[in-house]
Amino acid sequence: MNKDGRFFLLASVMFCTVAAMGGSAAFTDETPQADPGGGQLKNEQISISGRYARFERMLTQMADILARQDPERADLLRRALGQGREDLLREKIEQAVALIGDGDLGAASEKQQEIVDSLQALLSLMQSEDRRSSVEKERERLNDVLRDVRRVMERQKAARIATQLSPAPAEAAPGQQQALDEADKLLDRIDSHDAEKNAAEQSGEKNAAGQGEQSAENNSNGDQKSGGEDSSEDPQQPADPDGPTDDGRPAEERGDGSENEPDSEKPSGENGQPQQGGAQDSQSQSGQQQNGQQQNGQQTPGRQQLEQAQQQMQQALEALQQQQREQALKNEDQALRELRAAEERLEEELRQLREEEKEMILASLEARFQRLLIVQTQIHESTVSLAEVPKTEWLDLSFARCRELAQEQTELGRECTGTVLLLREDGTSSAILLAVEDIEADMNSVAEWLRESDVSELTQSVQQDIIDALKQLIEIMQKELQEQQEQQQQEQQQQQGQQGQQSPLVELIAEIRVLRNLQVQVNNRTERVDLLLQNAAKERIDDLRRQVQQLSERQQKLLQAAQELQQRAESQ
């Protein structure tokens, strides 16, 4: 089974657990007299407890397996484990078992609802990896659409100037036709994408609904036969009990859209008003067909405004052909207003996607740093333990242990390399990137020293620097996540200043704090290396000189990062 299949299997396990829990809660509420002793309900709850324990073990095993080949997914699984423990999920399930055993079905039902909510949050976290990939693709696509909208806008501005200055209005018609053609092509691309996306989503939801019902039935039968058989083989999600429509929205909501949405996008002249040309009939039919498609799913932000601009451009072209300069200017001005509205709508959507992407990246970075910190602390403690025994008294076991630590440190450095690549791909945080690059370099140096069975003061001190740097980065990630959640309430006030540019991963003040910590670390290590050089043995001098060279390179990088932050501060 490939990685995607294994990961989806885990999500299926969670869906089945939620389905079973929801069924148990419903049974408690609806038929408490059917089992006055609570024996059957208690057995079902115990079954769920065992299933969740197996689910946790599976997550742990999968995280270990994926740690090398897919560290991002492994981090996500570890975050899911951590969230479940923070929410005390296992304890809540055991409490529900005890409450049912005591016959307190009302309190048990309330506890079960808490468990369902926690499981749903956990499932959302596990699905966030796919969401991040889709967000990245959607941002790229919308940026392309935004560039095309701006290109159409430039064409329309040029056509408007020609209309105003040309001796005869008809002479400006070719320019207006070019702008209209650009708008037509852009709308065709948008509609083609939206139709494919909505068709795929509807097909996926239908398949998930059908297979999910089969999964829930199999899970229920398994509980009755064996009191809790593992449901990890269920291939898909169960259907939503609320019965959404094929497009994922409630029927009432879709009904409102089907009544109101077409009117808002209907071309002028469709309600019995005289047309300026025969082209409007086919355009109206096309618009109605497009609206009918959009009712069954989401549409690209700004599409409605772009279509309205297209209609105004068509009317402007017909007015020019009929030598009606004033009418053409009015239509062209309205077209430009609609294009600006489409531009603003796209910019707002891009800003929201960037904020969502930032939150996912920050959470992923925090999980990575937590993992690096745990393992690095273990390596450091083992190194200190080895150093307590003089090297002349080491046994073969001690040398073997040192080689194991070197291998662990090397693997940890590779994980750190993946984090560096993630930050470089984002490209908005120079100080954080520099800090992780320094950690990566230090890990590689420590691995080399441990391979040489060197557990000296220098090795231990560099390990401690790595630990301190990771703790600082974790603190920054946690603070940034908290601040971002608080700022979500102020999005409307902030959006004007952030449109048209990619917001940085962390705020400027946080980057400055990271840079200050890096400078302090360079200063402290310079003093430490200087002291070691004064009393170093001959075989250690080369290593210490290499450290001096590395410190010089880090100081140069700090200077460059400080200059970048200064430019960023001046641009704000």
Side-chain angles (χ1 to χ4, degrees):
M1 184 183 298
N2 59 27
K3 292 186 295 182
D4 292 335
R6 290 197 302 265
F7 191 75
F8 190 79
L9 179 61
L10 296 177
S12 300
V13 173
M14 180 62 73
F15 266 120
C16 294
T17 305
V18 173
M21 180 65 68
S24 179
F27 184 66
T28 302
D29 290 338
E30 293 175 5
T31 59
Q33 284 78 18
D35 186 19
Q40 180 181 353
L41 290 178
K42 184 175 180 179
N43 290 337
E44 291 179 358
Q45 191 68 61
I46 292 174
S47 168
I48 292 170
S49 177
R51 195 176 309 129
Y52 181 75
R54 288 191 294 274
F55 173 76
E56 280 193 321
R57 290 195 298 271
M58 186 184 296
L59 281 185
T60 303
Q61 294 170 359
M62 290 301 303
D64 293 338
I65 293 172
L66 295 174
R68 295 185 185 179
Q69 55 184 322
D70 195 344
E72 287 191 20
R73 186 165 294 182
D75 289 338
L76 185 61
L77 296 180
R78 293 191 184 100
R79 285 168 54 200
L81 276 169
Q83 180 170 309
R85 289 164 183 163
E86 289 177 4
D87 290 346
L88 302 176
L89 257 172
R90 183 177 293 185
E91 290 79 358
K92 289 179 180 178
I93 295 175
E94 295 300 329
Q95 290 171 7
V97 172
L99 289 170
I100 293 175
D102 295 339
D104 192 351
L105 300 185
S109 178
E110 294 177 359
K111 183 63 64 176
Q112 287 174 333
Q113 186 58 51
E114 292 180 18
I115 297 170
V116 171
D117 294 341
S118 296
L119 289 173
Q120 292 287 9
L122 196 57
L123 178 58
S124 298
L125 174 61
M126 293 180 63
Q127 293 175 319
S128 65
E129 181 192 40
D130 294 334
R131 175 56 183 165
R132 179 179 166 192
S133 176
S134 65
V135 165
E136 291 176 354
K137 293 178 181 177
E138 184 67 1
R139 283 186 63 220
E140 182 178 355
R141 185 184 75 87
L142 291 183
N143 273 314
D144 291 339
V145 173
L146 181 58
R147 283 192 293 269
D148 291 340
V149 167
R150 288 169 175 166
R151 187 181 299 114
V152 172
M153 193 182 303
E154 292 303 317
R155 291 272 192 184
Q156 185 57 51
K157 289 179 180 178
R160 205 264 185 210
I161 293 174
T163 299
Q164 190 172 15
L165 300 181
S166 60
E171 295 179 4
Q176 184 60 65
Q177 182 67 59
Q178 290 179 352
L180 179 59
D181 291 342
E182 290 280 353
D184 288 341
K185 292 177 182 178
L186 178 54
L187 273 173
D188 287 343
R189 288 196 297 271
I190 290 175
D191 290 338
S192 176
H193 170 273
D194 290 348
E196 292 178 2
K197 181 179 179 181
N198 292 329
E201 289 179 352
Q202 292 173 18
S203 176
E205 288 171 357
K206 289 178 180 178
N207 292 336
Q211 296 182 8
E213 290 173 358
Q214 179 69 29
S215 172
E217 181 179 352
N218 293 340
N219 182 61
S220 176
N221 293 336
D223 284 346
Q224 293 174 1
K225 291 179 181 180
S226 61
E229 200 170 348
D230 192 353
S231 60
S232 62
E233 295 180 2
D234 295 340
Q236 293 287 352
Q237 308 171 5
D240 186 348
D242 293 331
T245 58
D246 287 342
D247 61 357
R249 296 178 294 170
E252 306 89 352
E253 182 179 336
R254 193 178 68 167
D256 293 339
S258 64
E259 294 174 3
N260 300 328
E261 190 173 0
D263 291 339
S264 63
E265 295 186 4
K266 194 176 294 182
S268 58
E270 229 172 285
N271 297 323
Q273 299 178 1
Q275 300 284 338
Q276 294 185 2
Q280 287 290 344
D281 294 335
S282 60
Q283 182 180 350
S284 172
Q285 294 174 1
S286 174
Q288 289 177 344
Q289 181 179 3
Q290 292 164 356
N291 288 332
Q293 294 174 351
Q294 293 157 13
Q295 291 171 15
N296 295 325
Q298 298 179 348
Q299 65 177 12
T300 295
R303 187 213 171 278
Q304 178 178 347
Q305 293 81 1
L306 183 59
E307 183 180 15
Q308 291 171 354
Q310 177 203 42
Q311 296 166 8
Q312 294 297 326
M313 294 159 74
Q314 176 67 43
Q315 293 175 17
L317 177 62
E318 294 170 355
L320 289 172
Q321 293 170 346
Q322 298 174 13
Q323 303 291 342
Q324 299 176 1
R325 188 192 305 271
E326 294 302 321
Q327 181 61 41
L329 287 172
K330 291 180 180 178
N331 293 134
E332 289 172 337
D333 288 340
Q334 182 60 31
L336 286 172
R337 284 192 287 270
E338 296 293 347
L339 288 171
R340 292 191 190 97
E343 180 185 37
E344 292 173 0
R345 181 69 185 87
L346 284 165
E347 287 175 341
E348 169 62 13
E349 183 68 17
L350 283 167
R351 187 191 67 80
Q352 293 178 0
L353 289 174
R354 173 56 182 168
E355 293 302 311
E356 183 178 354
E357 182 184 44
K358 276 174 56 179
E359 185 173 352
M360 289 186 287
I361 292 176
L362 288 171
S364 176
L365 286 173
E366 182 192 353
R368 286 168 178 257
F369 294 147
Q370 293 279 11
R371 154 76 176 169
L372 294 174
L373 177 61
I374 291 172
V375 179
Q376 185 61 62
T377 301
Q378 294 171 350
I379 294 175
H380 176 62
E381 291 174 352
S382 297
T383 303
V384 172
S385 178
L386 284 172
E388 291 175 352
V389 179
K391 196 171 181 181
T392 55
E393 301 178 10
W394 278 19
L395 303 175
D396 291 342
L397 187 62
S398 299
F399 287 100
R401 178 55 179 155
C402 201
R403 288 192 295 270
E404 290 176 0
L405 292 177
Q407 182 61 32
E408 292 176 10
Q409 190 70 75
T410 300
E411 293 175 358
L412 203 62
R414 290 179 185 147
E415 291 188 31
C416 194
T417 300
T419 306
V420 170
L421 295 176
L422 175 62
L423 288 166
R424 285 177 181 167
E425 182 181 353
D426 180 75
T428 63
S429 177
S430 57
I432 301 294
L433 174 59
L434 181 58
V436 179
E437 287 177 339
D438 287 350
I439 292 173
E440 179 189 19
D442 285 342
M443 286 182 173
N444 292 334
S445 296
V446 169
E448 182 180 351
W449 296 332
L450 290 174
R451 277 193 294 270
E452 298 172 356
S453 300
D454 180 2
V455 292
S456 63
E457 180 182 350
L458 178 61
T459 303
Q460 297 177 45
S461 63
V462 173
Q463 288 178 334
Q464 187 60 53
D465 287 343
I466 295 173
I467 292 172
D468 294 340
L470 288 171
K471 288 179 179 179
Q472 292 167 358
L473 288 173
I474 291 171
E475 181 181 356
I476 289 172
M477 295 301 107
Q478 291 174 341
K479 186 172 182 181
E480 286 295 319
L481 278 169
Q482 181 180 359
E483 290 180 354
Q484 184 168 341
Q485 293 171 356
E486 293 173 354
Q487 289 174 356
Q488 288 177 355
Q489 301 176 354
Q490 305 172 358
E491 286 183 352
Q492 297 299 324
Q493 292 82 354
Q494 295 178 352
Q495 69 182 48
Q496 294 298 325
Q498 295 182 356
Q499 286 181 354
Q501 60 181 356
Q502 178 167 309
S503 58
L505 186 62
V506 297
E507 296 300 325
L508 179 61
I509 188 64
E511 294 242 50
I512 293 174
R513 285 196 295 266
V514 171
L515 207 60
R516 179 199 62 191
N517 294 335
L518 291 174
Q519 184 62 65
V520 170
Q521 185 183 89
V522 169
N523 295 347
N524 293 338
R525 190 175 300 182
T526 301
E527 294 177 359
R528 193 182 309 130
V529 171
D530 180 57
L531 290 174
L532 292 173
L533 273 171
Q534 295 176 14
N535 303 308
K538 290 183 179 180
E539 63 270 15
R540 297 294 298 152
I541 291 179
D542 289 341
D543 287 339
L544 292 172
R545 285 176 177 172
R546 281 195 294 270
Q547 277 293 304
V548 172
Q549 179 62 32
Q550 290 180 10
L551 289 170
S552 175
E553 295 172 357
R554 290 189 183 187
Q555 188 63 64
Q556 183 62 34
K557 291 180 180 179
L558 281 172
L559 176 60
Q560 294 174 356
Q563 292 172 343
E564 291 180 10
L565 292 182
Q566 182 182 4
Q567 294 175 358
R568 180 173 153 191
E570 291 173 350
S571 64
Q572 289 184 352

